[in-house]
């Protein structure tokens, strides 16, 4: 019974964080915020070898997997393939960190967030390179 109570306490402690994160992602996506940032980040994406059209996916993937999947379904051809490989080679970083560290009661994440975001960036760049090598 004590284990069930701990599980319920954990679930209820995570609910506000999850609701806030999902609400923020939905607001940013529906407001057109990510589409406005695409031209701003286009030179950086070209420098990293990524199609600028995947900018919304790269920006939203660390926050929400389902929102990134929705963004990815709007893409086609080589860009769609790049988006599909990016979805498979990255993680919903902020969601994962908030859930796992919240469950463990960790308050200071130290280097976990920067390391995870660098890993996501590496996954995004390697996904774009892999698609160019194998399909381009």
């Amino acid at each position: 019974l004590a284990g069930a109570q701990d599980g319920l306490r954990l679930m209820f402690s995570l609910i506000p964080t999850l609701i806030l994160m999902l609400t923020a992602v939905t607001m940013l996506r529906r407001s057109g915020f990510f589409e406005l940032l695409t031209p701003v980040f286009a030179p950086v994406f070209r420098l990293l070898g990524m199609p600028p059209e995947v900018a919304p996916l790269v920006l939203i993937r660390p926050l929400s997997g389902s929102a990134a999947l929705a963004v990815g379904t709007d893409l086609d051809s080589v860009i769609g393939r790049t988006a599909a490989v990016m979805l498979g080679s990255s993680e919903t970083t902020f969601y994962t960190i908030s859930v796992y560290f919240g469950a463990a009661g960790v308050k200071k994440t130290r280097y976990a967030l920067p390391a995870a975001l660098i890993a996501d960036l590496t996954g995004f760049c390697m996904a774009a390179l892999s698609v160019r090598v194998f399909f381009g």
Side-chain angles (χ1 to χ4, degrees):
L1 188 60
Q5 288 176 342
D6 288 341
L8 284 173
R9 193 174 306 123
L10 172 63
M11 183 178 73
F12 285 116
S13 69
L14 293 176
I15 287 175
T17 304
L18 295 175
I19 289 173
L20 179 64
M21 190 177 349
L22 292 173
T23 303
V25 167
T26 302
M27 288 172 54
L28 289 172
R29 187 167 177 258
R30 294 218 175 141
S31 70
F33 178 75
F34 292 114
E35 286 76 18
L36 290 174
L37 286 182
T38 301
V40 173
F41 285 110
V44 175
F45 279 80
R46 284 192 190 97
L47 180 69
L48 294 173
M50 291 186 265
E53 294 85 357
V54 298
L57 180 128
V58 171
L59 296 172
I60 203 166
R61 176 64 178 169
L63 298 171
S64 171
S66 58
L69 186 59
V71 169
T73 59
D74 296 337
L75 303 172
D76 60 351
S77 70
V78 173
I79 295 167
R81 284 185 179 149
T82 303
V85 177
M86 284 179 172
L87 284 169
S89 63
S90 60
E91 182 58 69
T92 53
T93 303
F94 292 100
Y95 171 80
T96 304
I97 286 177
S98 66
V99 169
Y100 291 132
F101 284 0
V106 176
K107 301 276 188 250
K108 294 184 180 182
T109 60
R110 295 199 68 176
Y111 302 111
L113 182 60
L117 291 174
I118 289 170
D120 280 342
L121 179 62
T122 303
F124 294 138
C125 292
M126 292 309 296
L129 177 64
S130 298
V131 170
R132 268 199 320 275
V133 167
F134 291 111
F135 299 106

